[in-house]
């Protein structure tokens, strides 16, 4: 398996535009996590899914953020409209079960200008 | 979202010295405790996943212990090497849903030659 794949690796967008980040988890994994890396909060959990169902989205900062997992092999994190303060590195991770290690993607570096 | 405390925030250690740092977490509803190593410009990688009170795990010069009754885990590095320089993250996992894999802010370890 190629591991967790995120796309794009880098995204530069203008304030107000819609941004969609994509994640392909490791095949067979039943948990998928979205994180945001910031200086203030470190690695911040935004939302996670179990068997494609969102379990906890209390970390999603605002209504501008939404995430979906239409099937076991794909998830998206959407920001609409984007703001400069959304600039960060966004990580996706997947795991098999609750007590197994999570594998992280390479991250998407988002810059909103 | 779980309250996870890691200390110290940063640590400078001479090459060859041994060191340790702490992860504190709520002891109620404990399911598992994860440790990750995060090098600059890379993605976090799992070191250990621990589930049993009193458990001790080892990988090379790195080991970890777990106390689920009082809610803490220690990570030890013996004979530090420059390649050990990284941020070490812990994440407790509570069973039953609600809280996902929530990371502490990490201990930033710098090994000085």
């Amino acid at each position: 398996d190629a591991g967790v794949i995120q796309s794009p690796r880098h995204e530069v967008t203008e304030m107000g535009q819609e941004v969609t980040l994509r994640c392909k988890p490791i095949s067979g994994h039943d948990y998928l996590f979205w994180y945001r890396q910031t200086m203030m909060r470190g690695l911040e959990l935004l939302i996670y899914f179990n068997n494609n169902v969102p379990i906890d989205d209390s970390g999603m900062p605002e209504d501008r953020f939404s995430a979906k997992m239409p099937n076991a092999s794909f998830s998206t994190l959407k920001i609409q409209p984007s703001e400069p303060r959304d600039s960060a590195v966004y990580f996706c991770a997947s795991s098999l079960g609750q007590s197994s290690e999570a594998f992280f993607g390479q991250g998407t570096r988002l810059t909103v200008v | 979202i779980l309250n996870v405390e890691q200390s110290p925030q940063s640590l400078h250690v001479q090459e060859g010295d041994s060191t340790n740092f702490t992860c504190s977490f709520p002891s109620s509803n404990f399911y598992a405790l994860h440790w990750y190593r995060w090098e600059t410009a890379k993605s976090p990688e799992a070191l250990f996943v621990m589930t049993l009170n009193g458990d001790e795990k080892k990988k090379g010069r790195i080991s970890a212990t777990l106390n689920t009754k009082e809610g803490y885990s220690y990570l030890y590095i013996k004979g530090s090497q420059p390649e050990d320089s990284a941020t070490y993250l812990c994440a407790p996992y509570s069973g039953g849903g609600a809280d996902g894999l929530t990371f502490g802010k990490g201990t930033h370890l710098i090994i000085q030659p």
Side-chain angles (χ1 to χ4, degrees):
Chain A
D1 204 310
V4 177
I5 299 173
Q6 290 186 246
S7 63
R9 291 290 307 277
H10 303 272
E11 177 80 42
V12 180
T13 190
E14 291 186 346
M15 183 174 64
Q17 296 298 306
E18 177 180 297
V19 175
T20 299
L21 312 182
R22 297 172 176 79
C23 175
K24 182 180 188 304
I26 292 174
S27 176
H29 281 191
D30 56 349
Y31 282 81
L32 184 139
F33 308 88
W34 280 102
Y35 292 93
R36 178 170 68 173
Q37 178 192 0
T38 63
M39 289 292 290
M40 288 293 292
R41 299 189 181 188
L43 202 58
E44 181 184 11
L45 177 64
L46 301 177
I47 184 171
Y48 80 100
F49 296 83
N50 177 216
N51 291 321
N52 315 336
V53 176
I55 302 301
D56 182 14
D57 65 353
S58 59
M60 297 284 262
E62 298 172 33
D63 291 345
R64 297 183 296 106
F65 285 69
S66 62
K68 293 181 180 179
M69 192 165 185
N71 57 63
S73 58
F74 185 65
S75 177
T76 58
L77 178 68
K78 186 178 293 186
I79 308 173
Q80 165 65 17
S82 58
E83 297 182 3
R85 61 194 166 120
D86 301 330
S87 298
V89 179
Y90 291 81
F91 286 99
C92 173
S94 71
S95 71
L96 179 61
Q98 292 179 333
S99 58
S100 298
E101 62 182 284
F103 292 83
F104 282 76
Q106 297 285 75
T108 295
R109 180 174 295 278
L110 173 65
T111 304
V112 183
V113 298
Chain B
I1 301 291
L2 290 176
N3 182 27
V4 185
E5 299 287 336
Q6 289 191 249
S7 62
Q9 281 189 332
S10 64
L11 194 53
H12 288 71
V13 175
Q14 286 294 123
E15 182 178 353
D17 288 351
S18 296
T19 186
N20 65 84
F21 26 93
T22 308
C23 171
S24 300
F25 53 88
S27 56
S28 58
N29 296 321
F30 175 85
Y31 193 89
L33 190 282
H34 293 227
W35 278 102
Y36 289 75
R37 182 169 178 273
W38 193 7
E39 292 181 72
T40 303
K42 293 187 177 180
S43 303
E45 292 185 345
L47 287 171
F48 307 111
V49 178
M50 309 171 77
T51 56
L52 299 175
N53 184 45
D55 204 5
E56 180 171 347
K57 295 208 171 183
K58 189 174 181 181
K59 184 181 288 188
R61 294 178 292 99
I62 303 176
S63 61
T65 60
L66 177 66
N67 184 321
T68 62
K69 295 186 187 304
E70 296 182 39
Y72 66 85
S73 176
Y74 293 133
L75 190 80
Y76 301 89
I77 302 178
K78 186 177 178 182
S80 303
Q81 299 297 308
E83 58 266 29
D84 296 329
S85 296
T87 297
Y88 291 83
L89 302 170
C90 72
Y93 209 156
S94 63
D99 297 306
L101 198 59
T102 303
F103 286 91
K105 291 186 180 179
T107 292
H108 184 51
L109 177 65
I110 298 171
I111 307 301
Q112 297 169 323

